[in-house]
Each structure stands twice: as C-alpha cells, then as structure tokens.
Amino acid sequence: MKKRLQFKLMATLILFSLVALETLQVFWLKNLYDTIREQTIIQLQEAIKLADYKELFIRLDEIKREFKEKESKKKIRKNSGIPSI
C-alpha cells in the first residue's frame, strides 16, 4: 500500500511539473511572437521610409533634369535669336 501511495505521489508530481513546463512554454512562445511582431513592424516602417526617400530623390533628380533642359533651350533660343515664348 505504501508503494502505491508513493507511485501516486510521484505521478502527481510529474504531472504538475509537465503542466508547469507547458505553461512556461506557452508564455515563452507568446513573448517570442510579440517580439518578432514588433521587430517586423519596425523593419516595415524603416523599409517604407527608405522607399519614400528613394522616391523623393528620384523625383528631385527628374525635376532638376527638366529644369536644366528648359534652361538649355532658353539659352539656345537666346543665342539663336528666336523669340522665347
């Protein structure tokens, strides 16, 4: 009878320890998920900022190019004697 009681006690302790381990794993996985989610959001925000900056620089370069073309056409017209519009 004493052995049976010891077995039940050991089985109960093992069961509680397994439940405790599973609970810790759930908390660990939840924390891991939250951390990865936050990192992903930060990386996405940085990628969007970088894409915005690149787009702005491309547009600025295009505006500069168009301005230079207009200026060069004005110089050509001025030098050739064609009245500017």
Side-chain angles (χ1 to χ4, degrees):
M1 183 108 173
K2 190 174 183 180
K3 286 186 180 184
R4 189 173 177 101
L5 183 63
Q6 285 179 345
F7 178 75
K8 285 184 180 180
L9 182 62
M10 288 178 70
T12 305
L13 288 173
I14 290 171
L15 180 66
F16 281 132
S17 64
L18 288 175
V19 169
L21 283 173
E22 290 297 318
T23 304
L24 287 174
Q25 285 182 343
V26 167
F27 284 123
W28 179 77
L29 286 173
K30 173 73 168 93
N31 187 28
L32 178 66
Y33 171 78
D34 291 341
T35 303
I36 290 174
R37 187 171 194 277
E38 288 175 15
Q39 288 175 349
T40 303
I41 289 171
I42 290 170
Q43 288 174 347
L44 282 172
Q45 289 172 343
E46 291 297 321
I48 290 170
K49 281 182 190 176
L50 183 62
D52 285 344
Y53 290 144
K54 284 184 179 181
E55 178 68 22
L56 287 173
F57 285 126
I58 289 171
R59 288 182 183 195
L60 183 62
D61 288 341
E62 187 175 327
I63 290 170
K64 285 180 182 177
R65 184 183 50 80
E66 289 175 0
F67 180 75
K68 286 181 182 178
E69 286 177 2
K70 286 181 182 179
E71 288 297 315
S72 66
K73 286 181 183 178
K74 284 183 183 179
K75 286 181 183 178
I76 293 173
R77 284 185 183 148
K78 186 178 180 181
N79 292 337
S80 65
I82 300 174
S84 59
I85 299 173

